[in-house]
Amino acid sequence: MRDALSNERYDQFSVEEWVKEFWEERNVYRLVKEKASRSAKKLYFLDGPPYTSAPSIHVGTAWNKIIKDVILRYYRMMGFNVWDRPGFDTHGLPIEVMIEKSLGIKEKGEITDRVGIDRFVEECKRFAERNLREQTKRFKELGVFMDWDNPYVTFKDEYIESGWWLFKKAWEKGLLDEDVYVVHWCPRCQTTLADYEVSEYRDLEDPSIYVKFPVKGRKGESLLIWTTTPWTLPANAFVMAHPDLTYVRVRVGGEVLILAKARVEEVMREAGVKEYEILEEMPGRELEGLEYLHPLEDLVDAQRILARYHRVVMAPEAVTPHEGTGLVHSAPGHGDVDFEIGKRLGVPVISLVGDDGRMLPEAGRYAGLYFRTEANEAIIRDLRERGALFHEGRVVHRYPVCWRCKTPLLLRATKQWVIRVSKIRDELIRNAETIEWVPRWAKERFMHLLRNVRDWVISRQRFWGIPLPIWVCERCGYRVVIGSLDELEKLGGRRPRELHRPWVDEVTLRCPKCGGVMRRVPDVADVWFDSGIAFYASLGYPKRRDLWERLKPVDFIVEGHDQIRGWFFSLLRSGVIGFGEAPYRRVLVHGFALDEQGREMHKSLGNYIDFDDLIKRIPRDVVRLWTTSNTVWEDLRFSWREMERMWRDFTVIWNVFTFMSMYMGLDAYDPTRHTLERYAKHLRVEDKWLLSRVNNFLRKYHKAMASLLIHEAARLLREFIINDVSRWYLRLVRRRVWTDEETPDKMAAYATLYYAIRRWLAAAAPFIPFLTEYVYQKLFREAEEGPESVHLLDIPEADITLIDERLEELMGKAREIVEAARAARMKAGLKIRRPVSRIIVATSSPLVRDAARELGELILEEVNAKSIEVLRPEALERVRVYRVEPNYREIGPLYKRDSPKVYELLRERGEEVARALMEKGRFEAEYKGVRVVLEPRHVKVVAEYPEWLSVEEGDDFIVAVDTRVTEEEILEGLAREVVRRIQFMRKEAGLSVTDYIEVWVDCDDEMGRAIGEKEDYIKSETRAIRIHRGEPPSNAYSREWEVDGRRLRIGIVKAGKSPTT
RNA sequence: GGGCCCGUAGCUCAGCCCGGUAGAGCGCCCGGCUGAUAACCGGGUGGUCGGGGGUUCAAAUCCCCCCGGGCCCA
C-alpha cells in the first residue's frame, strides 16, 4: 500500500468532484450494469415516477431517490441483476395550468379557439421534457445509479399505447362505463376533479340564509331550511329531514315555522328573534311526504319539472342536529348525498350550472350569472322581496378550492367515464394479502382503504393526458374501445401523428353496426392512471411481452406514505384489472421530509430547502448518510445542524484511512502477501476482537438490509467505524505500529485492520459511494489489484467462524473497567500521564473477572497502571456503610403485592441486610407481617471506601485505584511530561514522523534524575538518538516549558541520519 | 368526523413488538490527552417518557380517553 492520503488536506467536496469525474470517464455505471447482467438472480425494481412540474427537486424527493439508490447498490453488490429504469410522470392538470399561465390563458376556451390544442400540447411536452432533464441532472448529482439514458416517460406514444391496452381490458371485463356523477368541478380549469384531488380548502365567506318554503295548503306555515349555497336553490327538488329527530311548529309573529327542536334556540338567537312560541312537537317521520311550494318556482324554468317532487323526505345520513334547521334543502344535481337519494326516489338529476360556472338557460331568470357571486346575490334579493327570507347572515367556512388554480369549486352532476373499481373490491383485497409491507402498519392502512374503495371517475375534460381510447358512433351511439395503435389503424385506416390530442382526435372510425362515423370522446384520463400502469408499461408491454414476463412481478417499490392511497393503490388496481394479480410483492414506505419544527416544507412558509443550495452546502455523502440514518418510515426533520454534525463524523472516518495510509504506506504493507492467515499466530486479543466485531457487524448489516431497514444498516456502519475502529481499536494498536521494524506483531495489526476496513468499505459503498470510491482508488485498488471501481466489489458475507461473542463481551467489560478506572483517577486528581501502581477490580461476576485477567495488559495500558488485581467484593471489606438497592426484577415476581414492604425494609435496614448477605449469603426477617428471605441475587449492595482508594462503580464491578504514588511513578510521570513536550515540538518544528533528533534538556535535579532513569524510554518514544543535559545549542529549536511549577528548557535538532548503533 | 403514524434530556433521536432501577449523540460547564488530532478521552449538567385513567407486585413499553403534529380519507 502506498501512502496516498496522509499529506492530503481532507475536503469531502473535492473528493466528490474527483469521483464524479472518475465515474464519468470510466463509465462506471455501465461497468456495474455489465457485471450485474451476468447474474442469473433478477431483481425488478420499479421507480415511482416524480412529477415533472419543476426543474428542481424537493428534499423529500432526494431522500426518496437516495433510499432507492442505497438498496439498488446493495443488491448489485450482492450479485443481483437489478432492473433500475427510472421514470417520470409528465401528464396532467398541474402542467397544463403552468402552461396556461405562461401563455397568458385565462379560460379553457382560449386553448381551443386562440392558441390551438396542438400548440398547447407541444408546450406542455416541451415543459415536461425540460424539467425531466433538469431533475435527472440533480439525481445524478446525488450519485444515484439508475439507467438515466433510458427512463420511462408517461407522455411517450409507446407508454400511452400500453395504457390503452388496460382500458380495453377494463372494457372487456365490464368495468369501464359512462354514468352521471356528482363531481367536484373547477369552473376555471373546466374539468372535473377526482375526490383525492379535492385536497385544498380555504376559509371563504358565504351567505348563510334561512329560507321559508311555504307548506302546501297551510296558510302562513313554512318549512325553514338553511343554506350557504343560495345558487343551488333554483335546482331544489325536495327537503330532507331526520325521522328520529324531534321537530317543532314555532309561532314567530304572525307565521308558523317548522324546524328541529334542537335548533330553535340557536336559529332564533341568530335571527335576533326574542319572542316565539313552540306550538307543537313531533318526530321527523311525521313530516314525511309534506308538500311545499318553492318560493322561486315561477322564475326558474327547471322548476316546472322539479315542482312535482317538492316534499319532505327522510334522509338520516344528510341531517345533523348540530347546524342548520334540521331541514335540508336538496338539489340532486349539486350534492352527492342529494344525488344518491334523488336517484333512489326517481327524482330527475338537474344541474343548473354550466362548465364555466354560469347558470344555464334552464335557470330562467338567473341564466348567465356566475354561481357563487352574481347568482347568489340575485337569488337572495328575490327571496327577500318575496318575504321568503327569514334571516340573512354571513359565514366563514372551509370551502374546497382547485388545488392548482385556487378557484372555488362546485358540485355538479355530469356524465363521466368511470372504472367500476367497487366491482373488483374482493379481488383487490385478496391480491393485496400477498404483499409484504415495511413497516407492517402500512398494510393495515392499505387494507382499510381497499375495504372502502369507490368507483373511479377517470375522465378529465382536458388536453394534456392519455386520451381515452373510446370512439362513439355519431349515428347509433355504438362504442368501441381501442387497445392498440394497430387496432386503431385497422378500424380507422391510418395512424395519427402522435397519440395525444388533437392528432388522435382526427382519426374517425366506421361504425361496425350502422356504418356511421365514430369519433373519439374528447376526454383524457386522470393523470393517476398513468403511473399506475408503470409496472408493465415501463417495459413496453404488451407490444413487447418478454421483458415483463421475464421480470415479473416487481420485487419491490419504495415511496412515501402518501402513496399508500396513491401509487401503491393505483398499481394494484391496474394489476388486478389487467392481469388479475398484485403486480408487486414488497413495499417499503418512507416518511415525509419536514422542516426542523416538523412542519411541511413550503416555499410559501419560507422553510423550503432548495436542493441546489443543499448540495452546495453539504457534501452528497453526508446528505446520503444523514437521510438514510433516519428511521425510514418516520418523517425526516430537516436540520442543517444535524447534517453538519454528521459531517464531522466524516473527518473521523477519513482519519481512519489516513492512519492506514500513513503507517501501512510507510511499511509498504501488501495485502496480497501480508495476509491474515500468515499472521494468524501473532494476532493479539484486540485483533481477534476486531475480527469478531467486523463480522458481527456484517451479520447485522445484512440482516437489516434484507429486511429493508436501511436506517439500521446506516447506524451500524457509523457505529462500527467511529466507535469500534477509531475510538477503540486504533487507540489500542497505535504503539504497535510505531516501531520501524517489520515485526509480526505490527503486521498482524495491519492485516487485521486491512481485513476489517476492506469489509466495511464494501458495506459502506451503497451509502457513501463517493468517499468509498475515492479511498478505494487511492488505497485499496492497486494494493490488492482489485476491479476498476469499489462498486464492482461484492459485499462479503459475515464469516461467523471469526465471531467470538464471549470475547466481545469481555472487551465490552474491559472498556467499562477502563472507563471506570479513568473516572476514579479523575476523582483523585491523577492525570493519565502519571502512572499508578495498581488498580483493583472487585467483582463477583465471572465475566468481569475474566475480562480483567485476560485483557489485563490492555486495561493497564489504557489506564496507565502497573498492576491489576482481581478480588471478590468481600475483599474490599475495610469499609463503612452499606446501602442495599432492590433488584426489582427478582423481588417483584416473588413478593407481588408485598414488594413495596420489602423495598421499605431494604431502605431501613440496608446495612444489616448487606452484612447478612455477605457473611451468610442469606437474610431472613419478619417485616410488617411479611416473611422476607433474601439472597444476593435479589439486591445490589453499595459501599463506601477509604481515602487512599479512589473508587468507581460499574454495573457489576467496582474499580479501586490505589492513589499512593511511589518515587518510581513520579519519575515516570515526569518523563512522560518531557516526552509529550518533545513530541509537541517535533510537530511544531515540522519534522516528519520518521526523522531522528538530538535533544537537550536544561532543568532541575529531580527532573534530571527522571530523564536519566528513563532515558531509553524517552529516546524510543521521541526517536531521539541522544539526550544531553544543559543549554541547547543555538541551532536547536528550543522552548521554555513549565511542569508542575518547575521550569525547563528543551531544544531539539534533527539528526543527520539514523543511529548506527 | 374516520383510519394509520409520531410525541422520551436544551436539540436530534434509540428503547416500546416481547413490562423489570430511563439511554446515546450533540449542546453547555469542568478537567485531561495529543506521532490518524479542524480530532479524541473522563466527569458533571440536564427527563411530569405529551396529559389523564386502567390492567399489573411492577408501565416509556399493554389497554382506554384526551391534547399536539404528520399522512391519507370523509
Side-chain angles (χ1 to χ4, degrees):
Chain A
M1 189 181 268
R2 280 184 312 168
D3 178 13
L5 296 186
S6 78
N7 290 319
E8 184 174 326
R9 208 183 125 267
Y10 170 52
D11 173 21
Q12 178 66 22
F13 283 113
S14 13
V15 164
E16 292 177 359
E17 288 310 317
W18 188 92
V19 171
K20 259 172 39 184
E21 264 173 52
F22 174 80
W23 286 346
E24 200 63 37
E25 261 173 42
R26 309 296 170 91
N27 220 339
V28 168
Y29 172 70
R30 287 291 146 202
L31 295 176
V32 166
K33 289 287 280 185
E34 251 165 59
K35 182 199 170 213
S37 69
R38 291 195 290 273
S39 169
K41 294 189 284 183
K42 76 98 184 175
L43 187 103
Y44 179 12
F45 163 73
L46 182 63
D47 185 34
Y51 193 68
T52 50
S53 55
S56 192
I57 56 177
H58 191 271
V59 173
T61 315
W63 183 26
N64 169 280
K65 277 289 196 292
I66 290 170
I67 293 170
K68 291 169 178 173
D69 188 51
V70 165
I71 297 173
L72 296 185
R73 283 176 182 274
Y74 173 78
Y75 277 105
R76 288 196 204 99
M77 291 178 81
M78 292 302 284
F80 283 82
N81 185 359
V82 174
W83 184 264
D84 59 5
R85 170 173 294 171
F88 291 94
D89 198 10
T90 55
H91 280 142
L93 197 50
I95 288 179
E96 287 198 39
V97 170
M98 280 184 237
I99 298 305
E100 283 183 355
K101 264 186 200 148
S102 75
L103 296 179
I105 293 170
K106 298 241 156 35
E107 287 179 8
K108 190 175 161 192
E110 290 180 55
I111 297 171
T112 42
D113 304 343
R114 178 167 70 78
V115 178
I117 299 175
D118 51 349
R119 176 163 168 229
F120 185 73
V121 165
E122 292 286 9
E123 289 286 337
C124 289
K125 189 189 291 177
R126 201 166 317 145
F127 180 79
E129 265 174 336
R130 201 187 61 227
N131 290 338
L132 183 160
R133 275 195 305 275
E134 287 293 316
Q135 292 186 0
T136 299
K137 221 192 292 173
R138 287 169 175 84
F139 292 138
K140 281 181 165 176
E141 273 291 310
L142 281 170
V144 176
F145 268 14
M146 284 192 194
D147 198 355
W148 296 112
D149 296 336
N150 304 294
Y152 73 86
V153 179
T154 55
F155 70 60
K156 294 272 171 74
D157 269 3
E158 311 90 80
Y159 198 90
I160 294 174
E161 202 184 344
S162 292
W164 281 11
W165 175 83
L166 193 74
F167 274 110
K168 178 142 189 151
K169 276 270 169 192
W171 177 252
E172 285 165 359
K173 289 190 169 182
L175 299 172
L176 182 60
D177 202 356
E178 195 184 19
D179 206 346
V180 174
Y181 274 84
V182 171
V183 291
H184 281 278
W185 184 270
C186 174
R188 199 215 63 90
C189 302
Q190 299 194 20
T191 181
T192 172
L193 299 173
D195 291 340
Y196 52 78
E197 287 174 299
V198 183
S199 53
E200 273 203 60
Y201 293 80
R202 292 278 155 92
D203 285 328
L204 295 183
E205 194 183 272
D206 270 313
S208 162
I209 59 171
Y210 294 87
V211 182
K212 293 181 284 193
F213 284 5
V215 177
K216 238 184 197 170
R218 293 192 205 166
K219 206 158 171 9
E221 184 162 340
S222 298
L223 301 170
L224 189 68
I225 64 102
W226 172 72
T227 184
T228 57
T229 52
W231 56 270
T232 59
L233 285 174
N236 171 268
F238 47 88
V239 165
M240 303 184 285
H242 196 297
D244 303 327
L245 213 57
T246 303
Y247 288 79
V248 291
R249 293 175 70 235
V250 186
R251 181 190 301 286
V252 182
E255 54 188 353
V256 174
L257 300 175
I258 300 174
L259 69 159
K261 186 185 178 192
R263 302 298 308 158
V264 174
E265 211 174 306
E266 173 69 21
V267 171
M268 294 306 159
R269 195 190 54 75
E270 207 182 316
V273 174
K274 297 214 169 59
E275 290 195 9
Y276 58 91
E277 181 190 358
I278 293 178
L279 304 173
E280 188 192 351
E281 290 191 10
M282 68 213 114
R285 63 173 54 83
E286 284 181 19
L287 296 174
E288 186 162 10
L290 197 63
E291 293 182 24
Y292 65 89
L293 296 163
H294 192 290
L296 306 174
E297 229 170 78
D298 55 319
L299 303 177
V300 176
D301 299 358
Q303 282 291 333
R304 281 203 291 274
I305 299 164
L306 291 168
R308 277 179 263 153
Y309 301 93
H310 289 340
R311 60 177 183 275
V312 177
V313 304
M314 294 300 111
E317 67 268 46
V319 181
T320 152
H322 304 299
E323 65 174 11
T325 62
L327 291 174
V328 179
H329 129 72
S330 179
H334 294 294
D336 38 11
V337 181
D338 315 53
F339 173 76
E340 291 300 327
I341 293 170
K343 233 163 67 177
R344 216 160 62 207
L345 300 171
V347 176
V349 175
I350 292 178
S351 171
L352 292 179
V353 182
D355 288 0
D356 56 358
R358 297 189 176 277
M359 307 296 281
L360 294 170
E362 295 89 329
R365 171 167 188 158
Y366 308 107
L369 303 179
Y370 194 75
F371 74 110
R372 242 184 108 255
T373 51
E374 300 158 350
N376 272 358
E377 285 167 33
I379 289 163
I380 292 172
R381 194 186 327 111
D382 289 343
L383 289 171
R384 196 186 303 119
E385 278 171 14
R386 297 181 160 209
L389 199 58
F390 176 66
H391 175 70
E392 178 192 357
R394 305 289 293 175
V395 65
V396 175
H397 58 170
R398 255 165 51 100
Y399 194 91
V401 297
C402 178
W403 61 306
R404 298 315 313 178
C405 69
K406 316 302 178 196
T407 305
L409 302 177
L410 64 125
L411 283 169
R412 178 173 183 255
T414 56
K415 244 190 174 181
Q416 298 290 344
W417 287 89
V418 294
I419 291 185
R420 303 238 183 250
V421 186
S422 58
K423 277 193 185 168
I424 53 169
R425 196 188 70 156
D426 294 344
E427 215 181 326
L428 288 171
I429 291 174
R430 199 162 359 101
N431 283 292
E433 288 293 350
T434 64
I435 301 166
E436 185 193 329
W437 292 80
V438 178
R440 248 191 286 268
W441 54 257
K443 181 165 193 163
E444 201 180 325
R445 200 155 136 180
F446 194 62
M447 299 309 285
H448 181 263
L449 78 91
L450 290 183
R451 284 192 289 274
N452 298 310
V453 75
R454 311 210 317 182
D455 287 343
W456 177 25
V457 176
I458 198 173
S459 46
R460 294 291 181 278
Q461 291 69 52
R462 296 296 308 186
F463 309 97
W464 179 234
I466 295 183
L468 296 189
I470 304 168
W471 270 258
V472 182
C473 176
E474 283 183 339
R475 200 188 302 165
C476 73
Y478 184 72
R479 296 155 172 177
V480 170
V481 176
I482 298 293
S484 72
L485 200 47
D486 287 344
E487 198 183 338
L488 181 67
E489 191 177 11
K490 216 167 89 195
L491 293 173
R494 66 190 188 98
R495 288 171 179 255
R497 193 190 99 179
E498 65 174 86
L499 292 185
H500 280 113
R501 296 187 71 184
W503 303 282
V504 70
D505 297 329
E506 291 161 8
V507 183
T508 56
L509 315 183
R510 164 76 45 93
C511 176
K513 290 283 164 193
C514 73
V517 176
M518 303 185 87
R519 293 190 189 281
R520 198 186 71 81
V521 303
D523 299 343
V524 297
D526 171 12
V527 65
W528 275 100
F529 177 86
D530 294 35
S531 58
I533 61 172
F535 66 94
Y536 73 89
S538 70
L539 304 180
Y541 190 92
K543 199 176 244 176
R544 175 173 180 186
R545 304 187 88 92
D546 61 314
L547 260 182
W548 166 246
E549 274 155 18
R550 184 157 53 85
L551 291 173
K552 74 173 183 180
V554 174
D555 287 290
F556 76 88
I557 50 182
V558 185
E559 304 298 332
H561 45 64
D562 55 330
Q563 299 303 330
I564 293 175
R565 172 158 287 262
W567 195 52
F568 301 146
F569 172 61
S570 66
L571 284 175
L572 176 71
R573 185 172 55 199
S574 306
V576 170
I577 293 171
F579 301 89
E581 59 190 26
Y584 52 93
R585 66 162 62 124
R586 226 173 166 208
V587 188
L588 174 62
V589 178
H590 67 75
F592 257 56
L594 307 173
D595 76 357
E596 203 149 8
Q597 279 81 47
R599 293 172 311 175
E600 246 187 291
M601 275 192 229
H602 273 307
K603 281 180 183 147
S604 58
L605 282 174
N607 60 359
Y608 187 83
I609 306 294
D610 180 70
F611 176 81
D612 298 341
D613 229 38
L614 170 63
I615 289 302
K616 228 176 279 161
R617 267 173 74 174
I618 310 285
R620 302 156 183 86
D621 274 345
V622 177
V623 173
R624 291 177 62 112
L625 192 59
W626 184 71
T627 52
T628 51
S629 294
N630 190 82
T631 303
V632 62
W633 51 81
E634 277 175 22
D635 292 344
L636 173 78
R637 288 192 179 199
F638 186 90
S639 161
W640 291 109
R641 264 178 41 206
E642 290 300 314
M643 203 103 65
E644 270 152 21
R645 248 162 235 166
M646 175 63 86
W647 195 354
R648 283 216 292 260
D649 285 342
F650 275 69
T651 323
V652 180
I653 296 171
W654 177 264
N655 282 338
V656 172
F657 290 111
T658 43
F659 182 94
M660 291 179 78
S661 182
M662 187 168 187
Y663 290 106
M664 293 185 181
L666 219 52
D667 292 323
Y669 171 77
D670 178 354
T672 61
R673 286 198 309 124
H674 307 110
T675 59
L676 259 187
E677 292 74 39
R678 186 166 157 199
Y679 292 95
K681 285 200 300 276
H682 301 279
L683 293 177
R684 288 212 209 171
V685 65
E686 64 263 28
D687 301 332
K688 288 178 184 157
W689 172 79
L690 191 70
L691 295 176
S692 176
R693 287 298 283 177
V694 72
N695 283 297
N696 224 337
F697 150 72
L698 276 175
R699 185 167 67 177
K700 291 182 205 153
Y701 167 90
H702 283 302
K703 194 173 165 227
M705 290 305 286
S707 312
L708 299 177
L709 305 177
I710 60 162
H711 54 286
E712 286 188 11
R715 290 171 193 166
L716 287 166
L717 279 166
R718 183 190 168 278
E719 188 63 19
F720 177 74
I721 192 89
I722 302 278
N723 205 25
D724 289 345
V725 177
S726 179
R727 288 188 190 156
W728 194 240
Y729 184 75
L730 289 191
R731 278 182 65 85
L732 296 181
V733 298
R734 265 190 309 189
R735 310 204 140 256
R736 289 165 67 187
V737 305
W738 284 349
T739 172
D740 288 335
E741 288 138 66
E742 190 180 311
T743 61
D745 180 49
K746 183 170 78 179
M747 299 318 275
Y750 285 163
T752 302
L753 189 60
Y754 191 91
Y755 172 94
I757 295 302
R758 169 65 175 69
R759 293 186 157 228
W760 181 87
L761 191 76
F767 289 83
I768 46 172
F770 294 96
L771 181 60
T772 49
E773 180 74 284
Y774 189 80
V775 171
Y776 173 75
Q777 296 300 335
K778 297 283 175 175
L779 290 185
F780 293 81
R781 182 173 159 201
E782 193 187 63
E784 64 180 50
E785 290 158 31
E788 262 196 278
S789 163
V790 73
H791 304 294
L792 293 165
L793 297 175
D794 296 323
I795 303 177
E797 294 285 353
D799 179 351
I800 53 170
T801 63
L802 290 176
I803 296 178
D804 183 343
E805 298 281 1
R806 180 169 174 277
L807 177 59
E808 289 192 30
E809 274 184 69
L810 290 180
M811 187 63 90
K813 278 297 163 197
R815 275 185 94 159
E816 281 180 40
I817 293 170
V818 167
E819 275 162 26
R822 283 182 185 152
R825 294 182 59 119
M826 199 59 65
K827 260 196 244 175
L830 291 169
K831 294 181 187 177
I832 297 285
R833 228 178 289 137
R834 165 165 295 169
V836 295
S837 59
R838 83 178 158 145
I839 63 171
I840 299 161
V841 177
T843 185
S844 52
S845 152
L847 186 68
V848 177
R849 194 189 59 222
D850 293 350
R853 287 188 185 146
E854 291 174 37
L855 303 177
E857 255 181 70
L858 185 153
I859 294 169
L860 291 176
E861 180 78 33
E862 286 301 302
V863 300
N864 195 16
K866 296 282 180 223
S867 70
I868 182 166
E869 280 175 47
V870 186
L871 303 173
R872 297 201 57 78
E874 310 89 83
L876 284 173
E877 186 61 16
R878 302 282 136 68
V879 288
R880 295 162 245 154
V881 194
Y882 281 103
R883 260 183 311 122
V884 177
E885 288 175 3
N887 186 350
Y888 296 94
R889 193 178 203 140
E890 294 286 343
I891 292 174
L894 211 56
Y895 291 92
K896 308 242 182 214
R897 279 172 195 289
D898 293 326
S899 302
K901 286 182 186 160
V902 179
Y903 305 148
E904 199 182 314
L905 166 73
L906 293 180
R907 268 197 304 279
E908 286 177 10
R909 291 159 61 181
E911 173 88 18
E912 187 191 336
V913 175
R915 298 247 173 227
L917 286 176
M918 278 184 295
E919 280 153 28
K920 294 181 289 189
R922 195 175 165 86
F923 171 84
E924 292 183 45
E926 188 84 9
Y927 185 79
K928 294 195 174 169
V930 182
R931 187 170 155 68
V932 180
V933 181
L934 294 172
E935 289 171 24
R937 71 191 156 93
H938 295 129
V939 299
K940 183 176 153 195
V941 177
V942 187
E944 284 169 30
Y945 308 89
E947 292 293 315
W948 55 270
L949 274 185
S950 181
V951 174
E952 183 70 23
E953 296 183 12
D955 279 345
D956 49 2
F957 62 87
I958 296 161
V959 172
V961 174
D962 190 337
T963 59
R964 293 170 297 190
V965 185
T966 63
E967 173 77 9
E968 165 69 15
E969 279 129 20
I970 289 170
L971 294 182
E972 200 176 314
L974 288 175
R976 278 180 86 141
E977 298 282 2
V978 173
V979 166
R980 207 209 111 201
R981 284 166 176 78
I982 295 173
Q983 301 290 34
F984 190 84
M985 290 172 66
R986 283 185 63 111
K987 253 179 147 177
E988 270 189 333
L991 295 182
S992 133
V993 186
T994 48
D995 287 335
Y996 288 91
I997 53 169
E998 285 195 54
V999 176
W1000 281 263
V1001 186
D1002 190 19
C1003 58
D1004 67 17
D1005 284 346
E1006 194 189 15
M1007 182 67 89
R1009 200 148 48 86
I1011 292 165
E1013 296 230 349
K1014 301 290 169 192
E1015 186 172 339
D1016 289 344
Y1017 162 74
I1018 297 172
K1019 277 172 157 175
S1020 71
E1021 286 290 305
T1022 62
R1023 293 176 85 87
I1025 51 177
R1026 266 182 296 275
I1027 301 177
H1028 314 269
R1029 286 291 301 278
E1031 275 288 312
S1034 56
N1035 64 337
Y1037 173 69
S1038 86
R1039 243 186 106 136
E1040 190 92 17
W1041 294 94
E1042 199 183 297
V1043 176
D1044 296 344
R1046 55 185 127 217
R1047 303 167 63 79
L1048 74 158
R1049 170 165 289 279
I1050 298 175
I1052 61 172
V1053 175
K1054 183 174 164 182
K1057 50 187 182 293
S1058 68
T1060 45
T1061 48

